[in-house]
Amino acid sequence: MKTIGFLSFGHWTPSPQSQTRSAGDTLLQSIDLAVAAEELGADGAYFRVHHFARQLASPFPLLAAVGARTSRIEIGTGVIDMRYENPLYMVEDAGSADLIAGGRLQLGISRGSPEQVIDGWRYFGYEPAEGQSDADMGRRHAEVFLDLLRGQGFAKPSPRPMFPNPPGLLRLEPYSEGLRERIWWGAGSNATAIWAAKLGMNLQSSTLKNDESGEPFHIQQAKQIRAYREAWKEAGHAREPRVSVSRSIFALVDDRDRAYFGGNQGDDQIGFIDDTRAIFGRSYAAEPDKLIQELAQDEAIAEADTLLLTVPNQLGVAYNAHVIEMILKHVAPALGWR
């Protein structure tokens, strides 16, 4: 395991039991947690994106703010729903955030997840083309986004521009060199993982995927990762790809940990997403020595190079920093980190 970061869903609720009671709390605490994680030595700060929900939504202001407050840690998403995105405007936002961060952006994108509203992308002004699904539309938006990130000119300049233009067709600005190689696809199936490999995207494999074989989640996920790597090799890309998995992992080292997560273990869960049978990975919570033994049996963690720890953000910055620190200190070295 080369890289360990955190993934926050950015939940907020006005409940007095929550440390994160407003959208402002979520945004500001997300910045503070990224700063704390960098100080602890973590490698990445990643944020989930959901629309019409009391969670983090539009990611680029947050990513830019985190980039301005940190200097080393990777900054990313897991994932941006491309069904909602204008890929041209997104190229400008992503380029700006990446330049502010000094080239540390790691953008996870995908066709999206179950929504809070029916066909929410319609409210954003998007409709699938005739004969296509919303998933097809999301993948098409992603393909346009990837093509534009190459930085090639495509727009014919005005003969009477407001400002002088460079010669030739114009590209979108600001352009950030290298960002194209730091785009990840959140794949929920083996087929979409293979598709992402062919397009030269890194792979984000989360805590759920389509149940394609009936095997335990971590075994199915490991097979997905191996299929992705094989497709990458066949595509002939020059660089090595990156692969991340997400896990809820808690080292029980004090009474707070035991009170919050002492009973938070169990088996994989089966559910349905858009009428597709899906398998959800288990959570891990145990004393460090036992945790190391359990994680050593997780085949997908062994296949990946990046582990994202899903954090309970409503418990506050200080406690979440503790969760991250205990994993980095007591568990991560045994997984081969650093």
Side-chain angles (χ1 to χ4, degrees):
M1 185 59 59
K2 299 177 182 178
T3 303
I4 296 180
F6 73 83
L7 172 63
S8 173
F9 279 52
H11 294 285
W12 63 272
T13 174
S15 167
Q17 281 73 45
S18 175
Q19 298 290 319
T20 310
R21 301 182 186 180
S22 70
D25 287 344
T26 293
L27 290 163
L28 294 172
Q29 290 178 21
S30 294
I31 298 168
D32 289 342
L33 183 58
V35 171
E38 180 173 80
E39 292 173 351
L40 291 169
D43 303 301
Y46 287 73
F47 304 97
R48 193 71 169 87
V49 180
H50 279 112
H51 300 288
F52 298 104
R54 290 179 173 180
Q55 294 177 236
L56 294 169
S58 179
F60 291 106
L62 174 60
L63 296 172
V66 172
R69 287 280 306 276
T70 57
S71 61
R72 179 192 57 80
I73 198 169
E74 293 180 343
I75 306 162
T77 50
V79 291
I80 298 173
D81 188 336
M82 294 302 292
R83 296 174 297 179
Y84 286 77
E85 294 297 325
N86 177 328
L88 283 82
Y89 200 92
M90 186 174 169
V91 165
E92 295 180 343
D93 278 349
S96 298
D98 195 41
L99 290 170
I100 289 170
R104 290 181 284 129
L105 217 58
Q106 302 283 343
L107 278 185
I109 63 175
S110 187
R111 75 97 181 170
S113 60
E115 302 183 84
Q116 295 295 105
V117 300
I118 298 171
D119 296 344
W121 31 269
R122 296 187 190 275
Y123 295 98
F124 279 57
Y126 301 111
E127 295 278 347
E130 186 175 352
Q132 292 191 333
S133 68
D134 60 301
D136 295 328
M137 178 178 67
R139 285 188 285 269
R140 176 57 185 158
H141 286 182
E143 289 170 346
V144 173
F145 177 64
L146 293 172
D147 187 57
L148 293 171
L149 284 177
R150 299 183 191 279
Q152 301 299 312
F154 64 93
K156 185 177 180 180
S158 168
R160 294 180 296 277
M162 183 177 296
F163 308 105
N165 283 322
L169 299 177
L170 301 183
R171 68 186 183 190
L172 292 168
E173 302 288 355
Y175 174 69
S176 186
E177 185 76 36
L179 179 56
R180 172 61 179 80
E181 295 188 351
R182 288 179 273 117
I183 306 301
W184 306 58
W185 184 259
S189 68
N190 292 359
T192 52
I194 291 169
W195 173 81
K198 292 177 179 177
L199 268 64
M201 287 186 281
N202 300 311
L203 176 66
Q204 284 187 343
S205 193
S206 187
T207 52
L208 65 89
K209 68 178 296 293
N210 293 356
D211 185 7
E212 299 181 72
S213 68
E215 296 170 291
F217 171 77
H218 72 103
I219 294 177
Q220 291 196 50
Q221 192 176 47
K223 289 183 175 180
Q224 179 195 51
I225 294 170
R226 288 192 284 269
Y228 165 83
R229 292 192 188 279
E230 183 61 31
W232 183 280
K233 182 179 178 180
E234 291 177 358
H237 301 302
R239 66 179 178 88
E240 286 295 315
R242 290 183 61 184
V243 175
S244 73
V245 295
S246 303
R247 293 288 187 272
S248 296
I249 304 173
F250 302 97
L252 306 181
V253 300
D254 63 25
D255 290 341
R256 291 178 304 167
D257 302 327
R258 297 182 185 93
Y260 285 137
F261 301 109
N264 191 24
Q265 301 185 62
D267 299 323
D268 297 339
Q269 301 293 317
I270 298 295
F272 287 86
I273 299 177
D274 297 332
D275 298 323
T276 299
R277 180 182 167 97
I279 185 167
F280 300 76
R282 55 163 294 192
S283 296
Y284 292 92
E287 283 70 24
D289 289 348
K290 183 178 179 182
L291 202 54
I292 290 167
Q293 294 175 1
E294 293 179 347
L295 295 173
Q297 303 303 312
D298 191 309
E299 292 188 15
I301 290 179
E303 289 286 345
D305 57 77
T306 298
L307 174 63
L308 301 182
L309 307 169
T310 59
V311 294
N313 73 281
Q314 289 189 85
L315 295 180
V317 173
Y319 182 73
N320 279 282
H322 160 78
V323 168
I324 295 168
E325 182 180 20
M326 293 304 99
I327 296 297
L328 296 181
K329 183 177 180 180
H330 297 297
V331 179
L335 300 179
W337 181 69
R338 301 283 167 84

